[in-house]
Amino acid sequence: MGRWEAPRDLLAATGVDWDRRIFRLQVLAEAGAQLRFADTWAKAEPRSPHALALLANV
C-alpha cells in the first residue's frame, strides 16, 4: 500500500489531454480513497500538481 509511483507516471503521461487526465483522476481517486496512496504521495511530493489534484479528488 502507499505505492504512488505508477499513478504519478500515468498522470504525467497524459500530457495536455485534459479529458483523459480528468477521467484518470476520477478512477485513481476511487482507488486512492480505498488504498490511501493519495495522501502518501502528497506528503512525499508536496509541490506535485498531480498529487495535489488527486488528493483533492479523493
Side-chain angles (χ1 to χ4, degrees):
M1 302 303 156
R3 295 181 185 169
W4 46 266
E5 291 86 358
R8 176 193 60 199
D9 297 342
L10 181 69
L11 288 176
T14 60
V16 295
D17 186 345
W18 295 105
D19 291 335
R20 182 171 288 169
R21 181 183 302 274
I22 295 301
F23 175 75
R24 288 179 177 179
L25 276 171
Q26 291 171 340
V27 172
L28 288 170
E30 183 76 26
Q34 296 172 2
L35 300 178
R36 301 182 155 268
F37 67 83
D39 57 342
T40 304
W41 180 14
K43 288 177 186 173
E45 294 186 352
R47 294 184 186 264
S48 167
H50 302 301
L52 297 177
L54 179 59
L55 187 61
N57 276 287
V58 170

